[in-house]
Amino acid sequence: MAEAHRSGCPINLSLEVFGDKWSLLVLRDMIFGGRRHFRELLTGSEEGIASNILASRLKRLVETGMLTRSDDPTHKQKAIYSLTERSIELIPIMAALGTWGTKWLPVSDELSIRARLLTDGGQPMWDRFMEELRAEHLGAVITPDPEGKTVRQRLQEAYLDVVAGKIEAPVLA
């Protein structure tokens, strides 16, 4: 049975998929944090999602084709969640949200450094990050980065450097 939608507007339809308070944060934690298991998503988010809400959002994200769920071969009671192409292609949108939030909202340096670097890196960095996510989640084969670091590793290193006071987060214009 087809699900009813409020309208055929692309913004409305997009918001019906991930427009609640938690869905984009779950995707954010999978994309930027590399989290793939329920427990990692539950305990790894600064925002403190409740277990029933997380279970509901994961189910919805699987139903809408944003994630896939498979059994974890290392543990009978665990599942592994993977990004789909639909969710991987959110990278430019996540970067734009981070840029907007950094410009207009009272963000912290340590939690905005990734957005600032994605803004500075632009489309080439986003494309590389999407390639890396396709390799990690979809099994695509990619050429290793000449620097030997993934985009996620570079973003994480910058975050740790800001936390340690080694660098200051750049200011976006």
Side-chain angles (χ1 to χ4, degrees):
M1 183 167 141
E3 185 178 329
H5 300 285
R6 288 184 293 251
S7 77
C9 169
I11 294 172
N12 169 68
L13 292 170
S14 298
L15 288 174
E16 287 182 12
V17 172
F18 50 78
D20 66 86
K21 181 177 178 177
W22 293 105
S23 293
L24 277 177
L25 295 180
V26 169
L27 293 170
R28 176 206 63 191
D29 289 349
M30 291 184 70
I31 290 168
F32 295 102
R35 299 180 185 119
R36 308 230 6 222
H37 294 95
F38 184 90
R39 178 77 42 206
E40 292 171 332
L41 290 162
L42 183 67
T43 60
S45 179
E46 181 174 307
E47 291 83 11
I49 189 169
S51 62
N52 61 323
I53 300 295
L54 176 58
S56 170
R57 291 318 179 272
L58 287 169
K59 181 179 179 190
R60 175 86 172 129
L61 289 167
V62 168
E63 288 171 351
T64 57
M66 299 299 289
L67 300 176
T68 60
R69 183 186 186 279
S70 59
D71 293 331
D72 186 335
T74 66
H75 194 284
K76 290 181 183 181
Q77 295 178 329
K78 276 187 168 182
I80 298 174
Y81 292 92
S82 297
L83 300 169
T84 63
E85 185 63 27
R86 285 179 173 193
S87 51
I88 290 168
E89 288 188 10
L90 286 173
I91 292 297
I93 295 167
M94 295 275 199
L97 283 170
T99 300
W100 183 88
T102 299
K103 181 176 180 180
W104 294 104
L105 302 172
V107 299
S108 66
D109 284 345
E110 64 273 8
L111 294 178
S112 65
I113 186 64
R114 292 177 185 100
R116 294 169 195 270
L117 292 176
L118 283 171
T119 298
D120 291 346
Q123 192 69 46
M125 180 181 256
W126 308 343
D127 289 342
R128 180 62 192 184
F129 198 11
M130 289 188 288
E131 284 180 37
E132 292 168 359
L133 290 169
R134 288 181 186 106
E136 181 181 343
H137 291 266
L138 305 176
V141 177
I142 61 171
T143 306
D145 187 88
E147 295 178 30
K149 293 181 182 176
T150 66
V151 171
R152 185 186 297 134
Q153 287 169 330
R154 293 195 321 246
L155 297 175
Q156 182 65 13
E157 286 176 2
Y159 165 78
L160 293 173
D161 285 347
V162 171
V163 169
K166 293 180 183 176
I167 64 168
E168 286 188 32
V171 177
L172 292 176

